[in-house]
Amino acid sequence: MRKQSGLSFVGFIMIAILVALAAITFFKVVPAYVEYFSVKSTLKTLVREHAAEPPSAIRESYVRHANISNIQSVKAQDLVIVQTGGRTTISASYEQVVPLVANVSLLFDFETQAVSGSSE
């Protein structure tokens, strides 16, 4: 007679709990990264289209792009705009807290920049 092998009910429940926790974490983290990539794309667009303009005009354009892309973590005054020698660098650095369960949260520290004339 052969011994039965397989997954017990308790084992199945444990694996299901782990998969559910991973899925919950994934679905809570994805919006933070989507917003980061939106900020990164917006900065590239700004430096490509408005590099020669003064910082106030770049900030105004950022506000319009942020409204369209639903960017809420980075405000126009958070942008660091440096214009030297015909090059414009726009950078943003921000933290985002993603609550998981009760008092458990994840902290993401995002930093991105775009430089006029670069191929990044």
Side-chain angles (χ1 to χ4, degrees):
M1 192 166 234
R2 291 177 42 143
K3 182 179 175 186
Q4 287 186 344
S5 63
L7 193 62
S8 68
F9 182 70
V10 174
F12 173 75
I13 294 298
M14 296 296 268
I15 291 174
I17 288 172
L18 290 175
V19 168
L21 288 174
I24 288 170
T25 302
F26 176 77
F27 285 118
K28 289 200 176 220
V29 166
V30 165
Y33 277 98
V34 168
E35 186 173 39
Y36 166 72
F37 287 115
S38 293
V39 169
K40 190 174 182 176
S41 172
T42 299
L43 294 186
K44 285 182 182 180
T45 302
L46 287 175
V47 84
R48 186 175 56 244
E49 295 176 357
H50 303 285
E53 296 180 13
S56 60
I58 294 173
R59 290 182 202 285
E60 288 175 19
S61 181
Y62 174 80
V63 169
R64 289 191 297 275
H65 282 276
N67 285 336
I68 292 169
S69 299
N70 196 25
I71 298 171
Q72 298 174 353
S73 295
V74 180
K75 305 296 180 207
Q77 60 268 22
D78 298 333
L79 297 179
V80 177
I81 302 171
V82 178
Q83 295 177 320
T84 55
R87 288 187 81 112
T88 300
T89 302
I90 305 172
S91 61
S93 178
Y94 66 100
E95 292 181 346
Q96 191 165 5
V97 177
V98 177
L100 287 180
V101 178
N103 62 348
V104 177
S105 300
L106 297 174
L107 173 67
F108 294 96
D109 187 19
F110 294 112
E111 188 172 327
T112 184
Q113 76 173 4
V115 180
S116 64
S118 70
S119 60
E120 290 181 33

